[in-house]
Amino acid sequence: MTKPSPSRRRRRILAALLLVVLAALALLQFSPLPAPLQRTDYAVLMLDRSGRPLAARIAADQQWRFAPVETLPDKYREALLTFEDRRFLWHPGVDPLALVRATVANIRAGRVVSGGSTLTMQLARLLRDDPPRTLWEKGREALLALQLEWRLGKSRILVEYASRAPFGGNTVGLRAAAWRYFQRAPDDLSWAEAALLAVLPNSPALIHPGRQRQQLLAKRDRLLEALRQRGLIDADELRLAKLEPLPRTARLPSLAPHLLDTLAANATSPLIHTTLDAGLQQRVNALTEQHGRRLANDGVHNLAVVVIDHRDLAVRAYVGNVTHGDRREYGAAVDIAGRPRSTGSVLKPLLYGLMLQEGLLLPDTLVPDLPTNYGGYSPENFDREYRGAVPAHEALAQSLNIPAVRMLRQYGVARFHDRLRAMGMSTLFRDAENYGLTLVLGGAEGKLMELTALYARLMASARDGQAAPVTVLSDVQPLPEPFPIGAGAAWLTLEALRDVARPGTARQWRLYRSSQAIAWKTGTSYGLRDAWAIGSNGRYTVGVWAGNGNGEPAPALGGATTAAPLMLDLFSLLGPAEWPQAPLGDLKELQVCRDDGYLAGGQCSARTVLAPLDSHFQAVTPHHLRVHVDDQGRRVHSGCENVAAMSARDWFVLPPAQAYFYRFRHPEYRPLPAWREDCADGARALSSRAPMAVIYPHAGSALYLPVELGGQRGGAVFRVVHERDDAELFWHLDDRYLGRTAHFHEWAIQAAPGWHTLTLVDDQGFRLRRRFQVLSH
């Protein structure tokens, strides 16, 4: 058998070596990397707009291990390489010179004093959960180090090591160590701080008090000397760095724990960047705690606050829940700022703004305020009084319920429901019909965060004509959404809410109104369970909720008395801001009647008002009549008086029911003069307008008349008003005459179950009919 030629043997050897190299490369490329590189349990860290920590949640394994830094800061990188691995950039993961040096040192010492590990080998050891230090394990570390170098590259290896290195106790990784020991981000570390964190993983137990901290200080200073020898710092920097003391472990802040819980539930990263301001958040927390202690004495145990900056429509402070009292009973862990609560009256300004925008009213348009019933629903004002008719802007400023309900009925519940959802209210999960007219008075639920955002968008629209959605995450840019209330309507709405004292806070409000302009609204839910105060100055919108987390009512609860004082103090904390100028480019001038705010029709004294530019308000005054009187001021017409003997006058006249209540607050109001006796018959033919109205019961009402002790059916007192004080009324029930009344028109009526007709005739022959139903038992 012939021997292969030398050239063939060389080819075989080269082929074998090539196969070995290819196998090694395949092993490096395709062998799975350690699981911790893909699946690491990180602690959650929430940062403010400047990168300062707001709150953190420890990892499941009870380690403070934050998300890796993106790149290593220069100071820490140089300190780490100087201390651990000066040839890191040149070796392939295993440093032969370091191994030889370690072997020689170990032989001379007669024990293991150096392992010769590179940074890559140390990372390999960390990824394998620190196995026993045997020769076999050292070999496995070396192989894994080669694989890491092949797969990750130098920069990634440095980041992975720095993010997994132990820094004492349960502090893991550079980011956690920088914040826990120095209360700053890794990028902001000094040379002394960077040097300390470079040497600490080598002996992490030394950081704890009483555990040879002088040894740790000496190691740090030796590293600083080495940095000086390498020319990375000068003599002065070295001297100052050595003067810096060793740190103590600090607790991580917990400035917004409820927001952390809310955001972490849907976060895709363990590092959450927010728009909050840590300094402002701390001050808002302190002020809210102070008010919380005061309110706890009144049975109000929970508070929540949201502060939004108009300049970028971003949340600057978020207090999810301050609890005083039994923390478990009142839900101290619940993020109330993000939970639905009954809205009270805080939706009224949005309805007002929408109606302005869509041309359904003007600020001075009179809105009825009188006893009202819609399908059995009878709203009442907070003071249980009626004003007859009130300008829309005053109804909003005084938070009158009856005008608000009547405005909603005019606007449409379904329409308002759809607009609110489009503006960002996510809590309207029922159909509009299910809410009904109570929608504007607290029949719906809303979140403090969302409602405050709506008010902030209202101010942003008035300021800049732009009102993008509000954000709390700095790394999320929400898609722009059209805000249905334009700049002109938004500004007019805020003007209606500006400089208005609320019941119970007039004295306190006077202390603030001279320092800054604030447009604000309060609200209290039915049953005294939720109190709201939301307001805006030229820069911030502040929302406050007060109540009990478990829904327990509190007799002292009220938007004006409970939530508003905290809101006003928060505005003092924030400082004054310039109020936005009227957006004249989005406003137009209209001529309206001074008396009722409707378009002047030539029969009233007019004045100029502002209205949204794109609105189309077209309602001409219905409350001004051209009347004719004789020389004694009595009403006449051409059928009973010579035209030459009549004089024409323009008269402001409200419907009888409105006029009855209106006159108590407006003594200047003058009812229409009575018809002259010989003109009354012709007047009835000329006018279909009845000079009287039934105040109770309401039209179409169903009455329940109880049976009294004697077995007889009880009665209901009917109440009628007439625009003439001296009028006489004649009462008829069905076809039966009951009697007459003068001046005060009330009658107790008894009737059997079923439908009935009440007929009223005044002394000049004018007639009014009202249908009503009596229910059976």
Side-chain angles (χ1 to χ4, degrees), residues 83-84 166-169 177 181-182 191-225 241-242 244-249:
F83 181 74
E84 290 283 3
F167 286 90
Y181 296 139
F182 302 111
W191 276 111
E193 293 163 348
L196 178 72
L197 296 186
V199 304
L200 189 55
N202 187 263
S203 303
L206 297 180
I207 191 64
H208 297 287
R211 296 190 180 181
Q212 299 177 317
R213 285 170 62 87
Q214 286 302 119
Q215 182 181 343
L216 179 61
L217 182 64
K219 292 180 71 172
R220 184 202 70 175
D221 290 350
R222 284 196 297 271
L223 176 54
L224 289 171
E225 293 282 358
K242 285 185 174 182
E244 292 187 27
L246 294 181
R248 304 285 183 180
T249 304

Side-chain angles (χ1 to χ4, degrees), residues 679-727:
C679 298
D681 291 339
R684 291 195 299 274
L686 293 172
S687 174
S688 61
R689 177 181 173 276
M692 51 193 157
V694 179
I695 299 296
Y696 181 85
H698 308 289
S701 294
L703 305 179
Y704 175 77
L705 303 181
V707 176
E708 297 178 351
L709 293 177
Q712 295 182 341
R713 188 178 300 277
V717 177
F718 281 55
R719 186 179 183 189
V720 179
V721 294
H722 198 286
E723 62 185 20
R724 286 176 26 234
D725 292 336
D726 60 349

